[in-house]
Amino acid sequence: MTAVAHTSYGALCGDATGDVVVFRGVPYAAPPTDERRWRPPQPMAGWAGVRDALAFGPIAPQDISAGRLAKRGLTMSEDCLTLNIWTPAADDNRRPVLVFLHGGGQTQGHGSAPLLDGSRLARRGDIVVVTVNFRLGVLGALYAPGLHGADSTNLTLRDQRHALQWVRGEIAAFGGDPGAVTVVGQSSGAIAITALLAGGCNLFDRVILQSGGLERVRSTEAAAAVAGQLVSTGAFARDDEPDVAEILAAQRGIDTGFVPPQGPFHPCVDGDVIAEHPLVVARTRDMPAIPILAGTTRDEWRIFDAALDEGIFTEQYVRDRAHALAGDGHDAGAVVETYRADHRTLRDVASAMVTDYHFTAPTEQFVRAHAERGSAVFRYELQWPSPRAGLGACHDSCLPLLFGNLDAAPALAGDGDAARHMSDGLQGLWLDFVRGGEPWEHYDGVGGSTMLLGPEIGIARGHRMEQLAIWEKRYPAYG
């Protein structure tokens, strides 16, 4: 069975074989190919007749094998500016809208991942769910205004902003309310939203930030240094444009340095899309005064350190990591000892420091500033453990719980009755917020209310302030 939605660009035919209608591979901008490769997203042309929206569009170029792509029934192309929509019905109702921006370090990921299937969430909440594809890696984050023009920077953010404009203008055709849009981001998707919010973006009405890492927003100088590595060697040094395979090869060769989890292809302060670092803006400027629900998982970084051999985590290695993270202003040994009180092994200590430095502390500082300016903030920490020993409540574990697709990634959050109950609980809170409600007490500044979501659920105050205080001094330029 099919269903038709009538947009201002033309009619779209979606898949209505289940109890939720799905429109896949919906274009929201012209293909960013050929002369549009280094350009901001451009409006697309309309079409006559009814266009099929039954298959997912190509994903953005990234490191993924042809075999894995084929297994998932996907293709990869620069022509990737599409989104996917799950709706109870393409009718005249005005349902709340949830737009999800995926993570992946701004080098990986796509909105058609099974983990992000919006069917369960749309059905349970009677909402419209949208996932988005956008440019990644070099193609989305190269800072080379001297080569490609001032508007060639932060193309990932420009794509996301353009998609949000499309949602504002077109989502009514899919049964959605353009005046009730909540944008949700996880990991690098959350970083992108904070950057857009700090830039004054008014294309959404509520924000959910899951496991963002604001220290990854790069300075102009750091972004220019990465561009210098790229454009001075290999395919980028030629007069003609490199192909996608050459770009991905160049991308793999960038030196990211020691401190985890720094990455070379995150948003940068370009003076246009991002005029100042979001933490600076949050503390010193007015931002759109919209409600924010934000938080992290308790053990974000464990899933990454799990790949390292146990022998790596010596006393010296952990002290070196503490120094690299905390900087010269801290006694690395004292930082390690602060964490030893709550963690059993050196591996746990090392992971916990990165979790707080990279995820928890900057998220807390951003929403604290927002709350202190009078806006509604709801802060949480996800403590639901992975069934895999040693991972704890790790990065990405929020995704199967939010979307309800536990079977798509059972190692992250489990897939039994208890995990389903946890998913139902988290979904209920998030849906309350998406509908305009207040799911728990406001976070009102340092030591304020934090909802702990795990085997036990409840509000805590002053949650882990001793550890987070260490990283306050790590962002002196931001305050």
Side-chain angles (χ1 to χ4, degrees), residues 297-300 302 382-386 391-395 397:
T297 74
R298 182 187 58 201
D299 308 301
E300 299 271 8
R302 281 196 190 182
L382 182 62
Q383 299 184 336
W384 182 255
S386 162
L391 293 189
C394 62
H395 195 62
S397 61

Side-chain angles (χ1 to χ4, degrees), residues 330 339 356 361 364-365 368 446 463-474:
H330 284 89
Y339 278 86
D356 283 349
E364 194 275 337
Q365 290 174 56
R368 179 201 307 167
V446 177
H463 183 59
R464 298 201 304 110
M465 285 294 109
E466 180 183 5
Q467 290 92 339
L468 297 185
I470 293 172
W471 312 110
E472 282 287 301
K473 299 175 184 178
R474 188 65 180 93

Side-chain angles (χ1 to χ4, degrees), residues 188-440:
S188 57
I191 299 169
I193 294 171
T194 57
L196 292 172
L197 187 62
C201 184
N202 62 355
L203 296 170
F204 37 82
D205 307 287
R206 295 190 150 227
V207 164
I208 299 178
L209 306 174
Q210 299 178 193
S211 301
L214 273 173
E215 59 84 27
R216 278 191 285 178
V217 176
R218 302 171 298 159
S219 67
T220 309
E221 293 74 20
V226 170
Q229 288 188 56
L230 284 165
V231 302
S232 64
T233 60
F236 281 88
R238 303 194 313 253
D239 291 335
D240 59 324
E241 279 286 317
D243 62 27
V244 168
E246 291 172 318
I247 289 173
L248 291 177
Q251 187 171 301
R252 288 190 293 269
I254 296 297
D255 179 16
T256 61
F258 168 79
V259 181
Q262 300 278 14
F265 302 113
H266 292 289
C268 72
V269 178
D270 63 353
D272 183 6
V273 182
I274 306 179
E276 292 181 284
H277 194 286
L279 283 173
V280 174
V281 176
R283 292 178 174 180
T284 63
R285 306 278 191 274
D286 287 332
M287 295 190 300
I290 60 177
I292 294 178
L293 187 158
T296 55
T297 74
R298 182 187 58 201
D299 308 301
E300 299 271 8
W301 198 249
R302 281 196 190 182
I303 196 168
F304 303 103
D305 274 347
L308 303 180
D309 292 336
E310 188 66 35
I312 288 176
F313 295 95
T314 64
E315 288 275 359
Q316 188 61 52
Y317 176 88
V318 176
R319 283 173 179 256
D320 288 345
R321 180 180 284 193
H323 180 263
L325 294 171
D328 294 334
H330 284 89
D331 180 335
V335 172
V336 172
E337 289 307 310
T338 298
Y339 278 86
R340 274 189 191 276
D342 297 320
H343 298 86
R344 293 179 301 171
T345 69
L346 285 171
R347 182 194 293 269
D348 292 344
V349 169
S351 295
M353 291 189 302
V354 180
T355 291
D356 283 349
Y357 161 75
H358 177 61
F359 297 98
T360 316
T363 295
E364 194 275 337
Q365 290 174 56
F366 185 81
V367 299
R368 179 201 307 167
H370 197 60
E372 290 174 348
R373 289 177 178 272
S375 297
V377 169
F378 305 91
R379 187 166 176 254
Y380 75 90
E381 181 177 275
L382 182 62
Q383 299 184 336
W384 182 255
S386 162
R388 284 182 56 187
L391 293 189
C394 62
H395 195 62
D396 290 343
S397 61
C398 57
L399 296 178
L401 296 173
L402 171 59
F403 285 90
N405 300 319
L406 298 174
D407 54 343
L412 289 176
D415 58 357
D417 290 343
R420 178 62 60 192
H421 182 72
M422 182 71 248
S423 175
D424 288 345
L426 186 145
Q427 279 187 348
L429 293 169
W430 265 233
L431 287 169
D432 185 15
F433 180 80
V434 168
R435 294 191 191 102
E438 299 197 345
W440 60 82

